[in-house]
C-alpha cells in the first residue's frame, strides 16, 4: 500500500473541532505528550495509544422505558474502554458502540415449539386482517450474536472509546426483553443520549456519572442481533449517532420469522420465534420469573396461526429511513439463510430512496461478516482489507479524516470465484426484469423455461405435498425425471454467462384441490450443463401462503379447486449462471428446512402456461441469450 504523509489530528475541543497538523511519515506517537492526538497514515488512524493503560468503567444508563412494569425506569449496563489521555489530558474522543442481548446469562436449552403439525394452523381461519387483529391468541442462538469482536483491542489504541452495552432485559441490565420493539430501541438510544449529555448515568454505588470525555460522535456496529440494534436506533434520528455498520443485520422481524403470510424459520433454527428468542436472551430465571407475563404476551401476539403482518410486527419493522441521519455501511452474506438477504436489500432500498450516505459490502459466505482479511482492489489500484475499510469508514465519519472513502465505488461484491470486485451500486444499475415462461407437455414431467412467447399447450400439472418426509435436496435433484412431489422447469443451456442482481419473482397460477390452504415454496436453481453429474446449486428460495395472495397483512380463504394467480419474490441475490448451465425453478409445498410441516397428502395443481419466473438480469433479455 502506498504511504502518504502522516497527519496528526490534534486538540479536539469541547465543540469537537479538529485541528490538522503535519507530522513526519515515520511518526508512531502523538506529536507531544501535552497535546495528545490521533495519528493518520494513508487516511487511516494508527494504534498509538496504550490499551494496557486504558480506562475501564461500568455505567448504568437510565432509559425512558419500564419493560418489567415495576414502576421504575429500566437502567442498561454499559462497559467503557477509553484511552487514558481522555482523563489525564482532556483528550476528547468519539465512541464505537456495540449493544447486545447476548453478553451473559442466556438460557441455552430453551424449549422450541414443534413444527410437526397435523394440519396447517391457518386451515381453520375463516377471515382475518392482521393489522386489525394483532392480539390473537435458542438453543445455539449465540451463533447469531457478534461474540466479542475485539473492538476495544483494535479501536482504543486508535483513539476511540469503545462502549459494550447490554440490552434491556438481559445480562446486568434491568427489565424484560422485548425482541426488537420500540422499547428495546429506546433502551439502546438512551446510551447515545447519555454520551451526549441528555440522559442520566450512574456508577455501581448510585453516584451520577457523565461522559465528559467524548466528543459525542457515535458509530454503532455489530453482527446479527448486535447489528440489528444499530438499524433500530438509526431510524429514531437520534442526535450524535453519526454512522452505523450493521453486519448480517435484521431490518424487519417479520421477514425474519415470517414470509408472505407463512410462518418461516430462520435457517437452521426450525421452531424459533420471537418468544423463544426473548427467553434465550433473558435467561431462564428471568424468563420463568419476573418476565414470564411479558414473554407470554409475546407468545400470544406473535401469532403462529395466520402468519399475518400485524401491529406487533409493525413495531419491529425498521424499513423507514425518513428520520435517519447517520450514514450506513451495510455488510451481508449473499448465502445468509439465517438473516436472509431481504434484510439488507429492503434496508438498502429504503436508504437509497432517502439518499442516505451509504456503502455496501456483500460476500459469498453465510451468517456473519466477510472476515477481517478479505480484500478488494479499487479501480485506482489501491487494495484494502475489510477491516481497513471499516477503520477508514469510522475515521471518516467520527474523526472527520478526509480519506476519500465516499468517493470510492459504492458496492463491493465477492463473486463466485471468491474474488472481490467493485460496482457502482447494488442492484446493478443495468438490471432489467426478464420474464421466463413456464411450459409443460405432461402432468408431472419436467417442464421448460423460455424467454419467447408462452407455450400454447394447456396442460395442468399436479404434485402432492410430502415435504414433512422428503428433504428439499431430494426435491431439487433428479430434474430429468418426473416426481409426484414437485414440479421443475428448466431453460435451455445458456450461450453466455448470465448475471442476476436483485429479487427474482415467481408468478404462479395454482389451485389447492383438497385442503383450505398449503405452504408454497419455490427454489431458483443452477442445474449445470446437460448431462452433468454435479449436484445442482440452490441459488435462492422464497415462500408464501396462498391465503395471503393480496397482502401479507390479510388472510383471505381459498376455494378448493379454484385456480388463483399468486405472486411472491424470492430472496434477493447476486449470482452468475455460467455459459452452458441451465436456469431452473422448482415448485413444491412444505419446506423441511423452513416451514411448518403438516401431514402429507395436500394436492396442488399448476397451470404453467399462465405462470412465469421473472429474473432481474443485468443487461436484460439480450444478455440472457435465450
Amino acid at each position: 500500500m502506498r504511504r502518504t504523509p502522516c497527519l496528526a489530528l490534534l486538540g479536539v475541543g469541547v465543540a469537537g473541532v479538529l485541528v490538522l497538523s503535519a507530522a513526519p511519515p515515520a511518526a508512531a506517537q502523538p506529536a507531544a505528550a501535552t497535546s495528545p492526538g490521533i495519528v493518520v497514515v494513508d487516511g487511516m488512524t494508527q494504534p498509538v495509544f496504550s490499551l494496557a493503560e486504558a480506562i475501564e468503567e461500568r455505567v448504568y444508563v437510565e432509559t425512558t422505558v419500564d419493560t418489567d412494569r415495576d414502576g421504575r425506569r429500566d437502567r442498561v449496563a454499559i462497559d467503557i474502554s477509553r484511552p487514558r489521555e481522555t482523563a489525564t489530558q482532556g483528550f476528547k474522543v468519539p465512541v464505537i458502540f456495540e449493544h447486545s442481548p447476548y453478553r451473559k446469562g442466556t438460557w441455552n436449552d430453551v424449549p422450541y415449539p414443534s413444527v410437526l403439525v397435523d394440519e396447517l394452523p391457518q386451515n381453520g381461519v375463516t377471515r382475518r386482517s392482521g393489522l386489525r387483529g394483532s392480539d390473537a391468541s435458542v438453543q445455539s442462538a449465540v451463533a447469531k450474536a457478534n461474540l466479542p469482536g475485539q473492538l476495544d483491542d483494535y479501536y482504543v489504541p486508535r483513539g476511540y472509546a469503545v462502549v459494550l452495552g447490554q440490552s434491556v432485559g438481559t445480562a446486568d441490565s434491568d427489565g424484560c426483553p422485548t425482541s426488537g420493539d420500540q422499547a428495546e430501541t429506546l433502551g439502546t438510544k438512551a446510551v447515545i443520549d447519555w454520551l451526549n449529555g441528555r440522559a442520566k448515568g450512574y456508577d455501581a454505588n448510585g453516584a451520577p456519572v457523565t461522559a465528559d470525555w467524548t466528543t459525542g460522535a457515535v458509530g454503532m456496529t455489530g453482527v446479527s442481533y448486535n447489528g440489528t440494534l444499530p438499524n433500530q436506533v438509526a431510524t429514531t434520528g437520534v442526535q450524535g449517532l453519526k454512522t452505523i455498520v450493521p453486519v448480517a443485520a435484521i431490518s424487519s422481524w417479520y421477514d425474519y420469522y415470517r414470509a408472505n403470510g407463512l410462518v418461516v424459520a430462520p435457517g437452521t433454527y426450525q421452531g424459533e420465534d420471537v418468544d423463544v428468542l426473548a427467553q434465550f436472551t433473558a435467561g431462564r430465571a428471568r424468563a420463568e420469573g419476573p418476565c414470564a407475563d411479558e414473554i407470554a404476551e409475546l407468545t400470544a401476539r406473535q401469532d403462529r396461526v395466520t402468519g399475518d403482518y400485524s401491529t406487533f410486527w409493525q413495531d419491529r419493522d425498521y424499513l423507514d429511513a425518513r428520520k435517519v441521519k447517520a450514514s450506513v455501511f451495510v455488510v451481508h452474506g449473499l448465502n445468509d439463510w439465517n438473516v436472509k438477504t431481504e434484510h439488507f436489500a429492503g434496508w438498502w432500498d429504503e436508504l437509497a430512496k432517502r439518499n442516505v450516505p451509504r456503502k455496501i459490502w456483500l460476500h459469498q459466505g453465510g451468517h456473519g461478516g466477510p472476515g477481517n482479511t478479505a480484500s478488494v482492489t479499487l479501480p485506482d489500484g489501491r487494495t484494502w482489507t475489510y477491516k481497513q475499510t471499516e477503520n477508514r469508514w469510522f475515521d471518516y465519519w467520527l474523526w472527520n479524516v478526509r480519506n476519500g472513502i465516499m468517493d470510492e465505488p459504492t458496492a463491493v461484491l465477492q463473486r463466485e470465484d471468491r474474488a472481490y470486485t467493485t460496482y457502482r451500486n447494488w442492484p446493478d444499475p443495468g438490471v432489467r426484469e426478464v420474464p421466463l415462461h413456464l411450459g409443460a407437455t405432461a402432468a408431472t414431467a419436467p417442464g421448460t423455461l423460455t424467454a419467447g412467447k408462452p407455450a400454447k399447450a394447456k396442460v395442468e400439472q399436479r404434485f402432492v405435498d410430502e415435504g414433512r418426509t422428503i428433504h428439499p435436496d431430494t426435491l431439487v435433484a433428479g430434474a430429468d425425471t418426473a416426481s409426484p412431489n414437485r414440479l421443475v422447469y428448466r431453460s435451455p443451456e445458456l450461450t453466455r454467462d448470465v448475471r442476476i442482481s436483485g429479487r427474482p419473482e415467481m408468478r404462479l397460477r395454482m389451485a389447492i384441490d383438497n385442503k383450505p390452504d398449503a405452504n408454497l415454496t419455490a427454489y431458483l436453481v443452477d442445474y449445470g450443463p446437460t448431462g452433468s453429474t454435479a449436484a445442482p446449486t440452490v441459488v435462492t428460495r422464497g415462500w408464501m401462503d396462498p391465503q395471503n395472495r393480496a397482502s401479507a397483512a390479510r388472510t383471505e380463504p381459498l376455494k378448493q379447486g379454484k385456480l388463483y394467480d399468486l405472486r411472491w419474490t424470492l430472496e434477493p441475490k447476486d449470482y452468475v449462471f455460467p455459459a452452458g448451465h441451465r436456469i431452473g425453478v422448482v415448485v413444491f409445498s412444505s419446506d423441511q428446512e423452513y416451514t411448518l410441516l403438516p401431514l402429507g397428502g395436500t394436492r396442488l395443481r399448476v397451470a404453467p402456461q399462465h405462470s412465469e419466473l421473472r429474473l432481474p438480469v443485468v443487461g436484460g433479455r439480450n444478455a440472457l441469450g435465450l
Side-chain angles (χ1 to χ4, degrees):
M1 184 183 298
R2 296 198 307 269
R3 296 182 65 85
T4 56
C6 175
L7 295 176
L9 303 185
L10 307 178
V12 183
V14 174
V17 177
L18 304 178
V19 181
L20 292 174
S21 64
Q29 298 293 332
T34 57
S35 181
I38 61 172
V39 172
V40 176
V41 176
D42 277 355
M44 187 166 57
T45 51
Q46 302 299 304
V48 297
F49 299 96
S50 170
L51 180 65
E53 296 181 2
I55 295 171
E56 309 281 345
E57 59 185 320
R58 162 66 67 90
V59 175
Y60 297 87
V61 175
E62 185 174 274
T63 73
T64 58
V65 300
D66 177 15
T67 55
D68 55 7
R69 304 170 188 173
D70 65 355
R72 298 188 300 272
R73 290 183 174 184
D74 298 334
R75 295 182 182 181
V76 294
I78 63 172
D79 294 303
I80 304 163
S81 181
R82 54 189 171 94
R84 180 155 296 278
E85 286 81 356
T86 59
T88 61
Q89 301 180 57
F91 177 51
K92 293 185 182 292
V93 297
V95 172
I96 295 175
F97 172 32
E98 181 197 56
H99 212 48
S100 176
Y102 297 130
R103 295 291 179 208
K104 67 176 187 178
T106 53
W107 182 0
N108 293 326
D109 57 352
V110 57
Y112 278 43
S114 175
V115 297
L116 303 177
V117 296
D118 290 344
E119 297 279 348
L120 289 176
Q122 66 266 34
N123 280 1
V125 175
T126 55
R127 188 175 184 88
R128 179 186 179 87
S129 171
L131 282 172
R132 292 193 298 270
S134 61
D135 295 309
S137 69
V138 226
Q139 187 173 358
S140 299
V142 151
K144 305 173 187 179
N146 182 26
L147 299 179
Q150 307 301 318
L151 284 174
D152 50 354
D153 289 1
Y154 187 88
Y155 280 109
V156 171
R158 287 167 168 78
Y160 291 89
V162 171
V163 173
L164 302 179
Q166 302 175 11
S167 294
V168 66
T170 74
D172 295 330
S173 294
D174 297 337
C176 294
T178 56
S179 295
D181 74 345
Q182 289 302 303
E184 183 179 64
T185 301
L186 294 174
T188 310
K189 173 181 173 289
V191 177
I192 299 172
D193 285 333
W194 175 73
L195 290 166
N196 283 273
R198 299 187 298 269
K200 297 176 180 178
Y202 304 90
D203 65 17
N205 296 318
V209 181
T210 60
D212 57 1
W213 41 265
T214 178
T215 63
V218 180
M220 290 189 70
T221 189
V223 178
S224 194
Y225 205 146
N226 300 2
T228 302
L229 291 162
N231 283 346
Q232 295 177 221
V233 177
T235 62
T236 70
V238 59
Q239 184 179 353
L241 182 61
K242 301 299 184 182
T243 192
I244 63 172
V245 183
V247 182
I250 292 167
S251 59
S252 164
W253 285 92
Y254 183 84
D255 291 334
Y256 189 65
Y257 288 123
R258 305 288 184 269
N260 302 303
L262 277 189
V263 174
V264 171
T268 73
Y269 294 92
Q270 266 284 44
E272 184 184 301
D273 216 319
V274 172
D275 57 343
V276 174
L277 185 59
Q279 291 175 80
F280 177 84
T281 59
R284 184 165 188 171
R286 193 174 341 207
E288 294 186 336
C291 293
D293 289 345
E294 286 74 13
I295 291 174
E297 184 176 335
L298 293 178
T299 301
R301 297 191 65 210
Q302 68 192 6
D303 179 14
R304 287 178 68 85
V305 175
T306 71
D308 288 357
Y309 186 83
S310 65
T311 52
F312 175 85
W313 298 108
Q314 194 172 49
D315 196 32
R316 291 163 173 81
D317 188 329
Y318 322 121
L319 294 172
D320 184 348
R322 283 178 293 180
K323 295 181 180 179
V324 173
K325 298 176 183 177
S327 62
V328 183
F329 181 8
V330 173
V331 183
H332 215 99
L334 286 165
N335 294 294
D336 188 345
W337 290 102
N338 181 333
V339 177
K340 303 175 188 73
T341 52
E342 180 58 41
H343 290 278
F344 86 76
W347 184 223
W348 185 256
D349 289 347
E350 179 65 18
L351 296 172
K353 182 166 56 176
R354 303 297 175 182
N355 202 30
V356 174
R358 63 199 180 278
K359 185 177 183 67
I360 192 167
W361 186 304
L362 301 176
H363 60 89
Q364 288 291 332
H367 189 55
N372 289 339
T373 59
S375 64
V376 62
T377 299
L378 302 183
D380 63 8
R382 292 178 300 156
T383 297
W384 300 104
T385 67
Y386 168 73
K387 191 63 178 181
Q388 289 171 329
T389 303
E390 177 196 83
N391 190 160
R392 294 169 63 239
W393 181 267
F394 281 133
D395 291 344
Y396 180 89
W397 290 102
L398 300 180
W399 268 120
N400 198 31
V401 175
R402 302 292 94 182
N403 53 26
I405 195 167
M406 294 305 294
D407 299 323
E408 296 165 7
T410 298
V412 174
L413 270 73
Q414 187 181 29
R415 294 262 49 108
E416 290 74 14
D417 63 1
R418 298 305 188 262
Y420 281 93
T421 189
T422 60
Y423 294 94
R424 183 159 55 94
N425 207 339
W426 193 91
D428 192 286
V431 159
R432 300 293 181 270
E433 188 177 68
V434 178
L436 296 180
H437 304 290
L438 277 57
T441 57
T444 60
T448 58
L449 283 176
T450 59
K453 293 182 179 179
K456 294 182 179 180
K458 296 183 178 180
V459 174
E460 289 189 349
Q461 295 196 294
R462 294 171 169 81
F463 64 99
V464 178
D465 180 20
E466 294 294 345
R468 182 166 177 169
T469 57
I470 303 177
H471 193 273
D473 289 350
T474 301
L475 297 172
V476 167
D480 291 323
T481 58
S483 166
N485 306 119
R486 58 98 170 105
L487 301 175
V488 60
Y489 306 89
R490 289 176 298 175
S491 74
E493 290 187 350
L494 301 172
T495 59
R496 65 195 73 174
D497 289 355
V498 173
R499 178 182 167 213
I500 63 169
S501 181
R503 298 173 179 83
E505 182 183 68
M506 195 74 223
R507 297 188 177 189
L508 200 67
R509 181 168 290 185
M510 190 213 71
I512 305 169
D513 286 336
N514 66 332
K515 295 282 185 178
D517 199 15
N519 295 320
L520 195 54
T521 302
Y523 277 23
L524 179 65
V525 182
D526 181 343
Y527 272 108
T530 301
S532 172
T533 58
T537 299
V538 174
V539 176
T540 187
R541 306 167 169 92
W543 310 266
M544 85 161 300
D545 180 352
Q547 288 188 350
N548 289 86
R549 57 196 176 277
S551 169
R554 187 170 71 252
T555 289
E556 296 183 19
L558 299 158
K559 291 183 179 179
Q560 292 183 27
K562 179 180 178 180
L563 289 166
Y564 291 91
D565 290 315
L566 308 176
R567 294 185 184 184
W568 73 102
T569 57
L570 281 59
E571 292 296 319
K573 190 73 173 184
D574 200 292
Y575 183 83
V576 175
F577 290 89
H581 287 218
R582 293 166 297 170
I583 299 171
V585 63
V586 180
V587 177
F588 56 103
S589 184
S590 298
D591 186 334
Q592 201 173 110
E593 296 288 324
Y594 296 94
T595 68
L596 298 181
L597 302 174
L599 293 172
T602 301
R603 299 195 302 271
L604 299 97
R605 181 163 42 93
V606 171
Q609 71 273 19
H610 298 294
S611 304
E612 63 186 26
L613 170 70
R614 293 191 164 225
L615 293 180
V617 178
V618 178
R621 182 172 175 177
N622 290 337
L624 187 62
L626 292 178

